[in-house]
Amino acid sequence: MAAAGFEHLPQDVRPVAALDAEARIAHIRAERWVQHAAADRVLGYLHEALEQPPRERMENVLLIGESGMGKTMLIRKFERQTAVAFDAVAGVQRRPVVVMLMPHHPTETRFFDQLLGALHAPSAGHFTRGYPMQEPAIRLLRELGTRVVVIDELNSLLAGTPRQQRVFLQLLRFLSNELRLAFVGVGVPEARHALLSDGQLRSRFTDIELPAWSLGDDLRDFVTRLTWSLPLREPSPVDSLKLRRLLVERTGGYTLGICKAFERAAIAAIRDGREKIDLGSFGDAEIWRGVATPRRQTKTRPRADVAEPRA
Ligand SMILES: Nc1ncnc2c1ncn2[C@@H]1O[C@H](COP(=O)(O)OP(=O)(O)OP(=O)(O)O)[C@@H](O)[C@H]1O
Ligand SMILES: [Mg+2]
């Protein structure tokens, strides 16, 4: 089939539609970013956080969303959008935005180990053996010109003892003052509790949300864009309220479930030669395998069972 066709697809996907079935299935299974309105809004706020001038009191962001809403994909997108070219004069690859993962045991050592790993410090991992890590981390952040540190899965902080949590928040406050950079905490709604024990720090965080999908124009646009990203050879009639209602009911409005269902429907459409998705595609139970409507699944609970050691 000629690559010249496929007018129902965006320009960049048309050549993919001309590939054989296995190559197209691999394309569908690979990770790709699909733009949507809520993500655009959140990205706008994150860019504002990045662009604020360095000052005593930096405005931080707490990005909240249920598991599977697409928070991690979104901050990776933010990281790509803000990447800068290698500074050949200074000989430095600057990193305005650094994304790190909150360690499961929120000790200072593990935090700096994760941070140094995110900074690609060659010695990350060795520091756990008792080397002081704060100083090299601060020096590196300065050299790299980092203005935003994103901490994904901030809710892991709740796995620490109350004392560990307080010490960690003090550390964030210190780093923010010392380096005049902004933090973006990312997590499930429980992450809100993670900041409560430090009122001063809490007041410097603005909450933004990646909300679950509901029936509306935003979902309609997202379904359209998602379908455009799938290299099917026929146009897919997916613009229907009935389909959107089914998606919200079956997935609880979580992006992960919606993407999974569309990917499976697209792969089935390639395998059976129909080459398009419609409402009928979603009647197959296989499409929904493992797609639960996980109403409020808690990833990390506060550990009430852990006695607080004496300071
Ligand atoms: N904008 C998007 N474009 C394409 N796929 C997306 C997008 N957002 C989310 N997804 C899909 O949803 C899945 C889950 O996304 P992600 O891992 O970012 O969720 P999360 O909110 O970080 O969840 P958790 O809280 O469990 O870490 C992705 O693997 C991808 O399949
Ligand atoms: Mg995540």
mmCIF file of all heavy atoms in Angstrom, residues 197-217:
data_model
loop_
_atom_site.group_PDB
_atom_site.id
_atom_site.type_symbol
_atom_site.label_atom_id
_atom_site.label_comp_id
_atom_site.label_asym_id
_atom_site.label_seq_id
_atom_site.Cartn_x
_atom_site.Cartn_y
_atom_site.Cartn_z
ATOM 1 N N SER A 197 3.396 18.247 57.981
ATOM 2 C CA SER A 197 4.076 18.447 59.265
ATOM 3 C C SER A 197 5.024 19.656 59.253
ATOM 4 O O SER A 197 5.616 19.980 60.267
ATOM 5 C CB SER A 197 4.819 17.174 59.678
ATOM 6 O OG SER A 197 5.800 16.880 58.716
ATOM 7 N N ASP A 198 5.176 20.300 58.105
ATOM 8 C CA ASP A 198 6.009 21.498 58.062
ATOM 9 C C ASP A 198 5.181 22.634 57.449
ATOM 10 O O ASP A 198 5.148 22.813 56.231
ATOM 11 C CB ASP A 198 7.279 21.231 57.224
ATOM 12 C CG ASP A 198 8.303 22.354 57.350
ATOM 13 O OD1 ASP A 198 7.889 23.530 57.442
ATOM 14 O OD2 ASP A 198 9.507 22.064 57.339
ATOM 15 N N GLY A 199 4.502 23.364 58.329
ATOM 16 C CA GLY A 199 3.579 24.399 57.876
ATOM 17 C C GLY A 199 4.248 25.455 57.013
ATOM 18 O O GLY A 199 3.700 25.914 56.013
ATOM 19 N N GLN A 200 5.474 25.805 57.387
ATOM 20 C CA GLN A 200 6.194 26.847 56.652
ATOM 21 C C GLN A 200 6.464 26.414 55.213
ATOM 22 O O GLN A 200 6.297 27.180 54.269
ATOM 23 C CB GLN A 200 7.501 27.132 57.365
ATOM 24 C CG GLN A 200 8.067 28.489 57.033
ATOM 25 C CD GLN A 200 9.443 28.682 57.640
ATOM 26 O OE1 GLN A 200 9.884 27.863 58.454
ATOM 27 N NE2 GLN A 200 10.123 29.724 57.258
ATOM 28 N N LEU A 201 6.849 25.143 55.080
ATOM 29 C CA LEU A 201 7.119 24.616 53.744
ATOM 30 C C LEU A 201 5.813 24.431 52.965
ATOM 31 O O LEU A 201 5.721 24.747 51.786
ATOM 32 C CB LEU A 201 7.859 23.270 53.867
ATOM 33 C CG LEU A 201 8.418 22.688 52.574
ATOM 34 C CD1 LEU A 201 9.538 23.555 52.030
ATOM 35 C CD2 LEU A 201 8.940 21.270 52.794
ATOM 36 N N ARG A 202 4.781 23.933 53.667
ATOM 37 C CA ARG A 202 3.499 23.673 53.023
ATOM 38 C C ARG A 202 2.969 24.934 52.340
ATOM 39 O O ARG A 202 2.427 24.886 51.246
ATOM 40 C CB ARG A 202 2.477 23.182 54.069
ATOM 41 C CG ARG A 202 1.131 22.780 53.472
ATOM 42 C CD ARG A 202 1.289 21.489 52.710
ATOM 43 N NE ARG A 202 0.110 21.078 51.936
ATOM 44 C CZ ARG A 202 -0.039 21.313 50.632
ATOM 45 N NH1 ARG A 202 0.863 22.011 49.955
ATOM 46 N NH2 ARG A 202 -1.091 20.870 49.985
ATOM 47 N N SER A 203 3.144 26.072 53.023
ATOM 48 C CA SER A 203 2.605 27.321 52.483
ATOM 49 C C SER A 203 3.361 27.773 51.235
ATOM 50 O O SER A 203 2.928 28.675 50.529
ATOM 51 C CB SER A 203 2.653 28.413 53.550
ATOM 52 O OG SER A 203 4.000 28.775 53.782
ATOM 53 N N ARG A 204 4.487 27.142 50.970
ATOM 54 C CA ARG A 204 5.236 27.507 49.750
ATOM 55 C C ARG A 204 4.934 26.558 48.592
ATOM 56 O O ARG A 204 5.572 26.614 47.556
ATOM 57 C CB ARG A 204 6.731 27.463 50.022
ATOM 58 C CG ARG A 204 7.165 28.498 51.017
ATOM 59 C CD ARG A 204 8.646 28.526 51.046
ATOM 60 N NE ARG A 204 9.154 29.162 52.240
ATOM 61 C CZ ARG A 204 10.434 29.248 52.530
ATOM 62 N NH1 ARG A 204 11.322 28.729 51.718
ATOM 63 N NH2 ARG A 204 10.839 29.837 53.626
ATOM 64 N N PHE A 205 4.007 25.620 48.806
ATOM 65 C CA PHE A 205 3.623 24.693 47.740
ATOM 66 C C PHE A 205 2.225 25.014 47.241
ATOM 67 O O PHE A 205 1.295 25.169 48.029
ATOM 68 C CB PHE A 205 3.631 23.242 48.254
ATOM 69 C CG PHE A 205 4.960 22.567 48.132
ATOM 70 C CD1 PHE A 205 5.919 22.714 49.121
ATOM 71 C CD2 PHE A 205 5.269 21.784 47.025
ATOM 72 C CE1 PHE A 205 7.156 22.097 49.022
ATOM 73 C CE2 PHE A 205 6.501 21.163 46.915
ATOM 74 C CZ PHE A 205 7.451 21.311 47.918
ATOM 75 N N THR A 206 2.078 25.116 45.928
ATOM 76 C CA THR A 206 0.763 25.282 45.329
ATOM 77 C C THR A 206 0.354 23.944 44.730
ATOM 78 O O THR A 206 1.121 23.341 43.977
ATOM 79 C CB THR A 206 0.820 26.335 44.197
ATOM 80 O OG1 THR A 206 1.364 27.536 44.739
ATOM 81 C CG2 THR A 206 -0.548 26.608 43.621
ATOM 82 N N ASP A 207 -0.859 23.491 45.060
ATOM 83 C CA ASP A 207 -1.333 22.200 44.535
ATOM 84 C C ASP A 207 -1.885 22.362 43.124
ATOM 85 O O ASP A 207 -2.656 23.281 42.866
ATOM 86 C CB ASP A 207 -2.461 21.648 45.414
ATOM 87 C CG ASP A 207 -1.973 21.273 46.796
ATOM 88 O OD1 ASP A 207 -0.862 21.673 47.154
ATOM 89 O OD2 ASP A 207 -2.724 20.581 47.502
ATOM 90 N N ILE A 208 -1.480 21.463 42.242
ATOM 91 C CA ILE A 208 -2.150 21.380 40.942
ATOM 92 C C ILE A 208 -2.504 19.917 40.706
ATOM 93 O O ILE A 208 -1.870 19.024 41.254
ATOM 94 C CB ILE A 208 -1.294 21.924 39.770
ATOM 95 C CG1 ILE A 208 0.068 21.250 39.717
ATOM 96 C CG2 ILE A 208 -1.141 23.411 39.860
ATOM 97 C CD1 ILE A 208 0.891 21.677 38.518
ATOM 98 N N GLU A 209 -3.559 19.701 39.912
ATOM 99 C CA GLU A 209 -4.065 18.341 39.810
ATOM 100 C C GLU A 209 -4.166 17.869 38.371
ATOM 101 O O GLU A 209 -4.457 18.657 37.465
ATOM 102 C CB GLU A 209 -5.448 18.280 40.466
ATOM 103 C CG GLU A 209 -5.799 16.878 40.885
ATOM 104 C CD GLU A 209 -7.234 16.737 41.365
ATOM 105 O OE1 GLU A 209 -7.882 17.766 41.638
ATOM 106 O OE2 GLU A 209 -7.700 15.587 41.436
ATOM 107 N N LEU A 210 -3.868 16.600 38.187
ATOM 108 C CA LEU A 210 -4.161 15.944 36.921
ATOM 109 C C LEU A 210 -5.403 15.101 37.212
ATOM 110 O O LEU A 210 -5.303 14.001 37.747
ATOM 111 C CB LEU A 210 -2.958 15.065 36.536
ATOM 112 C CG LEU A 210 -2.770 14.675 35.072
ATOM 113 C CD1 LEU A 210 -2.830 15.867 34.141
ATOM 114 C CD2 LEU A 210 -1.473 13.930 34.893
ATOM 115 N N PRO A 211 -6.595 15.641 36.915
ATOM 116 C CA PRO A 211 -7.816 14.965 37.369
ATOM 117 C C PRO A 211 -8.194 13.781 36.493
ATOM 118 O O PRO A 211 -7.804 13.717 35.319
ATOM 119 C CB PRO A 211 -8.880 16.069 37.257
ATOM 120 C CG PRO A 211 -8.380 16.964 36.171
ATOM 121 C CD PRO A 211 -6.883 16.873 36.149
ATOM 122 N N ALA A 212 -8.945 12.853 37.064
ATOM 123 C CA ALA A 212 -9.441 11.716 36.284
ATOM 124 C C ALA A 212 -10.357 12.244 35.175
ATOM 125 O O ALA A 212 -10.987 13.291 35.328
ATOM 126 C CB ALA A 212 -10.190 10.755 37.197
ATOM 127 N N TRP A 213 -10.425 11.518 34.080
ATOM 128 C CA TRP A 213 -11.229 11.946 32.934
ATOM 129 C C TRP A 213 -12.708 11.863 33.253
ATOM 130 O O TRP A 213 -13.168 10.913 33.880
ATOM 131 C CB TRP A 213 -10.943 11.056 31.720
ATOM 132 C CG TRP A 213 -9.557 11.207 31.211
ATOM 133 C CD1 TRP A 213 -8.511 10.373 31.470
ATOM 134 C CD2 TRP A 213 -9.047 12.238 30.366
ATOM 135 N NE1 TRP A 213 -7.373 10.834 30.847
ATOM 136 C CE2 TRP A 213 -7.677 11.974 30.156
ATOM 137 C CE3 TRP A 213 -9.611 13.370 29.773
ATOM 138 C CZ2 TRP A 213 -6.866 12.786 29.382
ATOM 139 C CZ3 TRP A 213 -8.810 14.179 28.992
ATOM 140 C CH2 TRP A 213 -7.455 13.887 28.804
ATOM 141 N N SER A 214 -13.449 12.880 32.786
ATOM 142 C CA SER A 214 -14.905 12.816 32.861
ATOM 143 C C SER A 214 -15.430 13.056 31.451
ATOM 144 O O SER A 214 -14.659 13.361 30.536
ATOM 145 C CB SER A 214 -15.424 13.873 33.830
ATOM 146 O OG SER A 214 -14.948 15.140 33.428
ATOM 147 N N LEU A 215 -16.750 12.913 31.276
ATOM 148 C CA LEU A 215 -17.321 13.097 29.941
ATOM 149 C C LEU A 215 -17.246 14.564 29.575
ATOM 150 O O LEU A 215 -17.829 15.391 30.237
ATOM 151 C CB LEU A 215 -18.784 12.654 29.948
ATOM 152 C CG LEU A 215 -19.014 11.168 30.177
ATOM 153 C CD1 LEU A 215 -20.481 10.883 30.341
ATOM 154 C CD2 LEU A 215 -18.413 10.363 29.036
ATOM 155 N N GLY A 216 -16.538 14.888 28.576
ATOM 156 C CA GLY A 216 -16.447 16.302 28.203
ATOM 157 C C GLY A 216 -15.574 16.447 26.972
ATOM 158 O O GLY A 216 -15.068 15.455 26.434
ATOM 159 N N ASP A 217 -15.384 17.693 26.582
ATOM 160 C CA ASP A 217 -14.631 17.949 25.347
ATOM 161 C C ASP A 217 -13.170 17.533 25.465
ATOM 162 O O ASP A 217 -12.552 17.147 24.477
ATOM 163 C CB ASP A 217 -14.715 19.436 24.984
ATOM 164 C CG ASP A 217 -16.091 19.787 24.464
ATOM 165 O OD1 ASP A 217 -16.868 18.848 24.165
ATOM 166 O OD2 ASP A 217 -16.398 20.987 24.372
#
